[in-house]
Amino acid sequence: MDNKETNEKVHKEYAALETVPQSERTISFLDMLTTWIGANANNGTWYVGGVVAGATFGGAVLVTLVSNPIAYIIMALIGFIGYKVGTSTMALTRPAFGIRGSFLPSVLNITQFIGWTSVNTFIAAISISYILKDIFGLPAYGSNGSEKTMLIGIGVMSILHLISIATGHKSVKMVEKIGVVFILILGVWETVVVLKQVPLSKIIAWRPPSGKIMDIGSAFDAMAAFSLGWVPAIADFTRYSKSKKASTVAPIIGANVGLFWFAFVGIIGAIGTAVTTGVYDPNNSDPSTIVSKLGLGVIALLVIILTSTTANAINLMGAGISVTNLNKKIKSQTALFGVTILAALLTIVPIYASSFLDSFQMFLDYVGMVFGPIFGIMITDYYLVRKKQYAAEQFDNEKGKYWYKSGFNLVTISVWTISVIIFLFMKNLPVFTKTIGAIYPIIIISSILYFISSKIFLKNK
C-alpha cells in the first residue's frame, strides 16, 4: 500500500454499517471528554435552561441535577455497544428492528438531528443579526424587516457547518477542542455578570407569573428529551474510541459538565433578566437576547455562534451517518454535506413561525415520544436478550439472523408503536406532569414490553 492509499484510509469516515478496526480507533479519553463538553456547552442548552426556569430556580436546578445523569447513563450504555461492535448507532438497531426495520429509527434520527441543527442555527443567527445591527444598522431579530438579516445569519452558519464536518469525525474533534475553551470562558463571564447585577438570593426567591409556571414533570420531560437527543449519535463516535472508558466514562462526564454549567447559565440568565426587567418570557430565553440585554457585547455573541458550530458538528455527523444506514452506496461525506444543506433550509421555517418557543417544545415532545422507546428496546436487546452478543457481519445479510420477515422484526416495531401510543396517553396525566414526566417511564415500559415479547416470539433468533 503506497502513502496515498494509507493517507486515504487514515482519513476515511466509515459509513453506518462499516466496522471500525482497532488500528483506526483514534479518539482518546480527552478527545471524547472535550467533544461532549463542547456538545452540551452550547446555546441550545442555554435556551432549555431558560425554558425550565419556569419551574422556579429550585425546580429547574433539581431537574437539571436528576434528569441529565439518567440520560447520559443511557447514552453510555449505547456508547459501549458501539465500542464493542464497531458500527454506528443506527446500524446497532438492526438486530432488534431488522435490517429494513432499522430504516424507521434511521429516518427518525435524520429528522431529529436536522431539527437540532436548525434549532442551534436559528439561535446563532439571532446573534449574527445583533452583530449586523451594531455594525451595519440592519434590523435585529424581532424588529420589523429582520427576516433578511436572519437569512444572512443562516447562510453564515451553514458555511461554518460545512467547514466543521469537512473531514468527518476528525474535523469535529478539532472543532470541539478549539470551541470548548471559548465556551467555558463565556459561561464564567455571564455567570459573573448576572450575579453582579442580581443577587443569587433574588434569583432563588423569584417566582414566574401564574400563566407561565412550568410543572416539574413537564420540566423533567423537556430536559430529558434535550439530553436524550444526543444518544443516537454516541456510537458514531465511540466506535472510534481507543478504550472502554473513552466510550463510556468520558461521554458521561463531558456531557454532564457541559450541560450542568450551561443550563445553570440559562436558568440564572432568564431569571436574572426577569428580575431586572420585571418580565419573564420563555420566548426570550435564547442566549443572544439575554446577552444583548445584559450588555455583554459582540465578543459574547461571537462565542454563541461558535457554540452553535461545535454542537451542530455532532448533530450533522449523527444525521449524515444515519443516511448511510438507509443506503450503503451513499458515501459518508456526501451524506454529511447533504444534511447540512437540508438543515439550512429547515432553519428558515421558524423565521415565519408564530413562536420559536412553541416549535422548540413540540420538537422536544417529538424526540421523547419516538426515541424513548427505541433506547429501551436497544439496551434490553443487547444486554438482556442477546447477552452482549451481536454479529456485525450479519447486519447486512438478507439470509441471516437479523432479516426476520422481509427485513422487518414486526414484534419490535409493534412494541415501539404501542409504546408511542402509551406515551401520548401518559404525557398529560397529572401523575406524570407533577412528578417525573413521561419519558423515563416510557423507556422502562418499552424495555419490559420488548423483553417479554422477545421471550415469547423470538426464542430462536
Side-chain angles (χ1 to χ4, degrees), residues 66 101 135 197 202 288 297 307 394 400 444:
V66 175
I135 297 175
Q197 292 186 7
K202 287 189 176 182
S288 305
T307 70
Q394 295 288 316
I444 295 171

Side-chain angles (χ1 to χ4, degrees), residues 272-408:
T273 303
V275 171
T276 55
T277 64
V279 177
Y280 171 65
D281 184 358
N283 274 296
N284 295 327
S285 296
D286 68 274
S288 305
T289 301
I290 292 175
V291 158
S292 179
K293 289 182 177 180
L294 293 174
L296 296 185
V298 172
I299 294 176
L301 293 170
L302 288 171
V303 175
I304 291 171
I305 294 167
L306 179 61
T307 70
S308 172
T309 305
T310 59
N312 281 345
I314 295 177
N315 288 326
L316 292 168
M317 274 287 294
I321 298 304
S322 294
V323 170
T324 67
N325 187 54
L326 299 177
N327 189 333
K328 63 183 180 181
K329 293 181 180 180
I330 300 175
K331 301 295 183 183
S332 297
Q333 215 60 51
T334 302
L336 288 170
F337 285 122
V339 296
T340 302
I341 294 169
L342 283 175
L345 294 174
L346 184 61
T347 308
I348 297 172
V349 174
I351 296 177
Y352 303 99
S354 58
S355 169
F356 177 62
L357 176 65
D358 290 344
S359 300
F360 182 70
Q361 290 180 323
M362 286 175 60
F363 180 61
L364 290 179
D365 283 342
Y366 164 78
V367 172
M369 175 181 70
V370 302
F371 284 101
I374 289 174
F375 301 147
I377 290 168
M378 287 182 70
I379 291 170
T380 304
D381 186 67
Y382 181 75
Y383 290 97
L384 300 180
V385 176
R386 313 279 181 178
K387 309 294 184 183
K388 300 182 182 179
Q389 298 297 318
Y390 274 180
E393 69 277 5
Q394 295 288 316
F395 281 8
D396 200 33
N397 183 356
E398 295 187 3
K399 295 181 180 179
K401 62 196 298 187
Y402 306 134
W403 184 244
Y404 301 101
K405 185 174 179 58
S406 301
F408 298 91

Side-chain angles (χ1 to χ4, degrees), residues 186-329:
L186 177 61
V188 173
W189 187 9
E190 189 192 331
T191 303
V192 171
V193 169
V194 171
L195 295 180
K196 274 187 175 181
Q197 292 186 7
V198 185
L200 184 59
S201 58
K202 287 189 176 182
I203 291 175
I204 294 172
W206 174 82
R207 294 293 181 271
S210 58
K212 295 180 179 177
I213 296 173
M214 187 177 226
D215 289 331
I216 193 72
S218 299
F220 261 107
D221 274 348
M223 194 63 80
F226 181 85
S227 296
L228 288 171
W230 287 123
V231 177
I234 186 63
D236 301 355
F237 289 87
T238 57
R239 61 180 178 156
Y240 293 99
S241 296
K242 293 180 178 180
S243 67
K244 177 181 174 180
K245 287 185 177 180
S247 63
T248 54
V249 178
I252 288 178
I253 296 174
N256 276 304
V257 167
L259 191 136
F260 286 162
W261 192 340
F262 264 58
F264 180 75
V265 169
I267 292 165
I268 65 170
I271 295 177
T273 303
V275 171
T276 55
T277 64
V279 177
Y280 171 65
D281 184 358
N283 274 296
N284 295 327
S285 296
D286 68 274
S288 305
T289 301
I290 292 175
V291 158
S292 179
K293 289 182 177 180
L294 293 174
L296 296 185
V298 172
I299 294 176
L301 293 170
L302 288 171
V303 175
I304 291 171
I305 294 167
L306 179 61
T307 70
S308 172
T309 305
T310 59
N312 281 345
I314 295 177
N315 288 326
L316 292 168
M317 274 287 294
I321 298 304
S322 294
V323 170
T324 67
N325 187 54
L326 299 177
N327 189 333
K328 63 183 180 181
K329 293 181 180 180

